[in-house]
Amino acid sequence: MTLQKSPAWRSKKYLAWIRTLPCCICGIPSSVAHHVKGVGHFSGAALKASDILTMPLCIPHHSEFHSDPELLDEQYYYICRTVERAVREGVLIIYRKYVPNEIFLKT
């Protein structure tokens, strides 16, 4: 049995909101929505992770995350904090009824 990869969730609005947040490492204004890297089925050669798996980074820290494999484990913590903030601020809305492959963005 082979597993089918589900389509990645994409949202220009969500990425634009991520870019308004300060860098999650140093707190200076960010300009990059960093997608999770090096996590098996979430990313890989010629693949980009779902937009929900992003965190705000300044350009220097974004470069550092791409060049230092030891930082990859830290992504989980920062992405969870980013999603938590999005829910808390009403940017992402979680519904009780589960709809596969759908995340609702406040418009």
Side-chain angles (χ1 to χ4, degrees):
M1 180 171 105
T2 60
L3 295 176
Q4 297 265 336
K5 188 170 185 173
S6 60
W9 180 72
R10 299 285 176 230
S11 173
K12 290 180 182 180
K13 286 183 181 181
Y14 185 70
L15 294 180
W17 177 78
I18 293 284
R19 291 182 191 105
T20 69
L21 301 175
C23 174
C24 58
I25 306 297
C26 67
I28 68 169
S30 71
S31 61
V32 179
H34 170 75
H35 288 79
V36 69
K37 296 287 181 212
V39 188
H41 65 282
F42 291 130
S43 65
L47 299 174
K48 185 183 279 188
S50 174
D51 288 346
I52 196 73
L53 299 173
T54 57
M55 61 189 200
L57 290 175
C58 63
I59 291 172
H61 280 117
H62 187 246
S63 297
E64 192 175 333
F65 263 85
H66 279 272
S67 62
D68 187 352
E70 292 185 18
L71 293 174
L72 294 180
D73 286 343
E74 294 181 29
Q75 297 174 112
Y76 304 109
Y77 172 74
Y78 293 115
I79 289 169
C80 287
R81 287 188 55 184
T82 303
V83 170
E84 178 185 44
R85 182 173 179 171
V87 171
R88 188 175 61 247
E89 293 183 12
V91 174
L92 291 176
I93 299 171
I94 299 173
Y95 289 95
R96 288 182 178 213
K97 183 178 178 182
Y98 175 71
V99 179
N101 297 319
E102 291 203 25
I103 299 168
F104 299 93
L105 193 64
K106 183 179 179 182
T107 56

